[in-house]
Amino acid sequence: MSTLATTTVHSDLDTAPLLLPAKVLRNDAEAIAAAHELAASARLQAGKRDQQRKLPWAEVEQFTRSGLGSISIPREYGGPEVSFVTLAEVFRIISAADPALGQIPQNQFGLLQMLRGAASERQKQVLFKSVLDGWRIGNAGPERGTKNTLELKARIVREGDTHVISGQKFYSTGALFAHWVAAKALNEEGRQVMAFIRRASPGLRIVDDWSGFGQRTTASGTVLLNEVPVDAELVVENWRLGETPNIQGSVSQLIQAAIDAGIAENAIADAIAFIRERARPWVDAGVEKAGDDPYVIADIGRLQLELHAAQALLVRAGKVLDEVNAAPVDAASAARASIAVAEAKVLTTEISLLASEKLLELSGSRATLAEFNLDRHWRNARVHTLHDPVRWKYHAVGAYHLNGTLPARHSWI
């Protein structure tokens, strides 16, 4: 929908970003305040960054320095361990300002949750402390050319006291900005592991070749692994997550839903502003201002209602995760968490797409001009909601309530 040509940087960045001191936040209130402060800054140039495909380096650094990167670190390891309600709220606030900035660290939090369930005590100590110190974790999990998102071609083998990993990754959100690149691979037993690779390791290349028409500044491109050495203590046996009930997938999905809710909120806000300030009423409406058109009023009312419903289910999902996490997780409680998040994800997906489409419909032809860049809301919503098909959320919710079927156990439910 954009009138601008899609361009891609196609650059490599093999050296690690600067490591700057990071604050450690103390509680949920401080996390919310830091998110609002970051959002206020990020919002100023978000549209221009999207148009120019300019990566939000300064904003990512602010995210880290503020302490937001470590808000889910458990208290016993020195973190504030905010509630899941707060975690979702932080991502919603940031994504309402710039959803690309919201997406960049989303995998870090999914990986931190994975470490809680699959890492050894030593691995937790090392990796949690690094995040508290300001290290960022980027994703190198998905691959292209496989039959589905769970299949892996990357391989890791042991060579003496180290491991060596080779493969090619894509959709590597966060990797370009990261100090750790977390890469999935199959080990010599055919089991999935997660290797935490230090940036600037020999054989590691990160290519900024993301050309998606939405979420343009996430740098979700290619990671190339050519016999990259990995410390043995930094290879996490994440296959263990599949053996016991857990909430890792639910946490990842909660953040995804929060990002979509933020996109919807920003689209509705821009729709209201444009209708009030720039849009013309339709000739048959018989009114002086577009904001007095009864059909426009009704549509804005519906959008607000559906946004509030999505936000309410997002908060509810966070509360369910907090309740489930407060006790040992079993199959029933893990399923309860997954379904609560799936219900929120359905509504946040639908309102983000609807709001960004209605923004253009209600604002009129002028709203499509490149100078306003309002199509970014639809582009961002359409691309980000493709992470997992919402039609399968409906199926999971229906099967659970109708037949008592527990949902699948992976990162997309």
Side-chain angles (χ1 to χ4, degrees):
M1 298 177 70
S2 175
T3 58
L4 297 177
T6 299
T7 58
T8 312
V9 176
H10 289 291
S11 63
D12 294 356
L13 185 58
D14 302 328
T15 56
L18 293 175
L19 182 59
L20 301 174
K23 183 178 181 180
V24 177
L25 299 171
R26 293 175 295 179
N27 52 48
D28 294 56
E30 288 189 355
I32 297 295
H36 279 297
E37 184 176 351
L38 174 60
S41 174
R43 182 176 289 108
L44 298 176
Q45 298 294 322
K48 184 176 289 187
R49 284 194 298 272
D50 171 85
Q51 282 186 320
Q52 299 175 356
R53 203 180 284 272
K54 182 180 179 182
L55 300 181
W57 276 101
E59 292 74 20
V60 169
E61 294 289 3
Q62 182 180 345
F63 177 93
T64 304
R65 289 196 311 273
S66 72
L68 286 169
S70 61
I71 58 175
S72 68
I73 299 289
R75 293 185 185 92
E76 59 265 35
Y77 295 94
E81 194 174 4
V82 303
S83 70
F84 289 113
V85 171
T86 294
L87 183 63
E89 180 69 358
V90 164
F91 273 87
R92 185 196 64 77
I93 291 167
I94 295 170
S95 298
D98 182 353
L101 180 60
Q103 186 182 340
I104 287 166
Q106 87 180 29
N107 287 302
Q108 173 165 313
F109 286 85
L111 290 165
L112 290 174
Q113 186 66 35
M114 180 276 294
L115 291 173
R116 296 179 70 161
S120 68
E121 183 60 29
R122 175 59 179 163
Q123 288 169 336
K124 291 176 187 176
Q125 290 173 355
V126 170
L127 293 169
F128 287 157
K129 184 179 186 304
S130 73
V131 174
L132 288 166
D133 289 341
W135 290 51
R136 291 188 292 270
I137 305 174
N139 178 49
E143 300 177 359
R144 291 193 287 189
T146 56
K147 66 180 181 180
N148 59 51
T149 192
L150 294 176
E151 184 183 17
L152 293 174
K153 294 182 179 179
R155 296 294 185 268
I156 187 168
V157 296
R158 191 173 188 100
E159 291 190 0
D161 295 330
T162 64
H163 289 74
V164 174
I165 184 171
S166 296
Q168 182 169 329
K169 304 291 185 173
F170 198 63
Y171 309 111
S172 301
T173 305
L176 194 70
F177 306 92
H179 304 91
W180 293 115
V181 176
K184 287 181 183 178
L186 297 182
N187 65 15
E188 290 156 306
E189 289 77 45
R191 286 175 161 170
Q192 185 185 117
V193 298
M194 181 78 72
F196 283 78
I197 305 166
R198 291 181 175 86
R199 282 292 295 276
S201 294
L204 170 66
R205 287 182 59 211
I206 299 175
V207 185
D208 179 18
D209 59 351
W210 172 244
S211 63
F213 61 69
Q215 297 295 87
R216 287 176 167 178
T217 61
T218 58
S220 302
T222 299
V223 169
L224 301 171
L225 305 162
N226 183 19
E227 298 186 350
V228 179
V230 186
D231 293 347
E233 70 170 11
L234 294 174
V235 179
V236 177
E237 295 181 333
N238 65 322
W239 58 267
R240 296 184 183 279
L241 281 178
E243 296 192 332
T244 57
N246 62 81
I247 59 170
Q248 191 271 331
S250 300
V251 173
S252 294
Q253 287 291 297
L254 182 75
I255 296 171
Q256 302 267 25
I259 293 170
D260 295 334
I263 294 173
E265 180 181 327
N266 199 7
I268 293 172
D270 275 359
I272 290 172
F274 202 95
I275 291 166
R276 285 176 176 170
E277 300 165 11
R278 301 179 186 275
R280 297 187 299 182
W282 181 240
V283 63
D284 294 327
V287 295
E288 292 295 320
K289 299 183 298 182
D292 292 333
D293 183 325
Y295 294 108
V296 172
I297 292 171
D299 273 345
I300 291 296
R302 291 188 190 99
L303 291 176
Q304 288 286 11
L305 285 169
E306 294 187 28
L307 175 64
H308 292 162
Q311 290 171 337
L313 280 190
L314 186 66
V315 172
R316 175 180 172 271
K319 289 179 178 178
V320 170
L321 275 172
D322 286 325
E323 293 169 5
V324 169
N325 192 51
V329 179
D330 58 21
S333 63
R336 178 178 170 233
S338 290
I339 294 303
V341 175
E343 291 175 356
K345 187 67 165 60
V346 166
L347 290 199
T348 59
T349 293
E350 292 184 346
I351 187 57
S352 65
L353 291 168
L354 179 63
S356 55
E357 174 66 25
K358 280 289 184 179
L359 161 60
L360 299 172
E361 176 190 334
L362 300 178
S363 298
S365 300
R366 189 181 180 192
T368 68
L369 298 181
E371 64 187 277
F372 302 119
N373 195 28
L374 292 176
D375 64 303
R376 73 183 186 277
H377 298 300
W378 183 86
R379 291 187 285 102
N380 290 334
R382 183 63 282 176
V383 168
H384 189 262
T385 57
L386 292 176
H387 274 82
D388 47 281
V390 76
R391 61 186 178 274
W392 280 94
K393 303 295 186 192
Y394 277 111
H395 179 272
V397 171
Y400 177 79
H401 289 294
L402 181 62
N403 299 319
T405 305
L406 302 188
R409 191 182 299 157
H410 53 60
S411 295
W412 297 274
I413 187 62

